[in-house]
Amino acid sequence: SAVISQKPSRDICQRGTSLTIQCQVDSQVTMMFWYRQQPGQSLTLIATANQGSEATYESGFVIDKFPISRPNLTFSTLTVSNMSPEDSSIYLCSVVDWLAGDNEQFFGPGTRLTVL
Amino acid sequence: AQSVTQLDSQVPVFEEAPVELRCNYSSSVSVYLFWYVQYPNQGLQLLLKYLSGSTLVKGINGFEAEFNKSQTSFHLRKPSVHISDTAEYFCAVSPHIYNQGGKLIFGQGTELSVKP
């Protein structure tokens, strides 16, 4: 199983600023994803972080608002740009090693973001 | 495209009673199926998954689920619940497509509340 860490674990930010969330995995993985869980809601996929190329965004999410980097097979960042209170959520990183035939998806502990 | 519907947003039940949490899905391609649990203020934990083979899947903490392809359902069951099972339960699907493989589409969640 993969062990995932996220930084920061929580933050309180001012409207209009940006926050970059880091996701580190203890092993090389094929796929990395970023999800958002708004208060009292389910998880929604933001994008697939592709190693060495641009992320693939889901409907309703755009690169200008949520730029993502994935420089290697163990690390990714998600930036929440020009934040508003509506961005207050838990942001989760997850990984799955699709090519290894393991379809289990492992989740990080999440980053709890509050925007004032 | 895929979608997941969890038919009950809240399920109150008494301790030691049986419980069933219902999940239906829609997909134009084959999918893998998952149940996750989220305890209060904690991260997501995989309960069980269906990839192929036997349609009855056993997971952790005494939970099991049955995949019914004709009814496109994946209901979660436990014969006798404990207070400690109080949590939010999420049903999710993942498409059998390489370039989409791994990404999860979640249902809205079912809040299981076990009372003494």
Side-chain angles (χ1 to χ4, degrees):
Chain A
S1 65
V3 177
I4 306 168
S5 59
Q6 286 185 233
K7 290 181 181 180
S9 59
R10 59 177 62 227
D11 207 341
I12 301 173
C13 301
Q14 295 297 319
R15 181 196 300 260
T17 62
S18 298
L19 176 72
T20 295
I21 303 168
Q22 298 179 3
C23 175
Q24 180 73 55
V25 191
D26 68 343
S27 60
Q28 294 186 343
V29 291
T30 315
M31 314 285 283
M32 294 182 77
F33 305 90
W34 286 97
Y35 291 84
R36 180 176 73 181
Q37 186 176 23
Q38 295 176 298
Q41 303 293 316
S42 185
L43 286 81
T44 301
L45 180 65
I46 298 172
T48 303
N50 301 309
Q51 193 265 328
S53 64
E54 198 169 281
T56 305
Y57 290 83
E58 298 298 309
S59 176
F61 297 97
V62 295
I63 188 171
D64 289 345
K65 176 66 176 177
F66 297 102
I68 288 171
S69 77
R70 189 176 173 194
N72 56 53
L73 293 175
T74 64
F75 185 78
S76 177
T77 66
L78 167 75
T79 299
V80 186
S81 303
N82 188 25
M83 288 183 284
S84 67
E86 293 70 36
D87 294 319
S88 297
S89 295
I90 299 173
Y91 291 86
L92 299 105
C93 166
S94 72
V95 304
V96 63
D97 198 359
W98 180 262
L99 288 179
D102 182 348
N103 295 286
E104 181 169 349
Q105 188 155 146
F106 299 95
F107 284 83
T111 296
R112 186 180 294 270
L113 171 62
T114 302
V115 183
L116 302 177
Chain B
Q2 295 78 38
S3 67
V4 179
T5 302
Q6 291 183 240
L7 298 164
D8 307 292
S9 59
Q10 294 181 318
V11 173
V13 64
F14 287 106
E15 193 174 20
E16 297 183 6
V19 70
E20 178 179 79
L21 307 184
R22 297 179 293 168
C23 173
N24 286 94
Y25 69 94
S26 172
S27 177
S28 56
V29 300
S30 296
V31 294
Y32 299 129
L33 299 133
F34 304 83
W35 275 97
Y36 283 86
V37 60
Q38 188 174 39
Y39 298 103
N41 298 313
Q42 294 189 29
L44 279 172
Q45 181 179 5
L46 180 69
L47 270 180
L48 49 78
K49 60 185 175 183
Y50 174 79
L51 305 182
S52 64
S54 173
T55 57
L56 182 63
V57 180
K58 294 189 183 299
I60 62 171
N61 300 340
F63 284 93
E64 64 180 32
E66 185 155 21
F67 170 53
N68 188 317
K69 187 174 183 179
S70 63
Q71 296 186 5
T72 60
S73 68
F74 191 53
H75 301 333
L76 180 71
R77 295 191 291 259
K78 186 169 182 177
S80 176
V81 294
H82 302 290
I83 299 286
S84 59
D85 292 323
T86 295
E88 188 86 17
Y89 291 79
F90 294 99
C91 180
V93 301
S94 177
H96 271 205
I97 303 174
Y98 173 74
N99 63 355
Q100 295 183 37
K103 76 174 192 179
L104 289 169
I105 296 91
F106 284 86
Q108 288 303 107
T110 297
E111 182 182 345
L112 176 63
S113 177
V114 181
K115 304 186 185 303

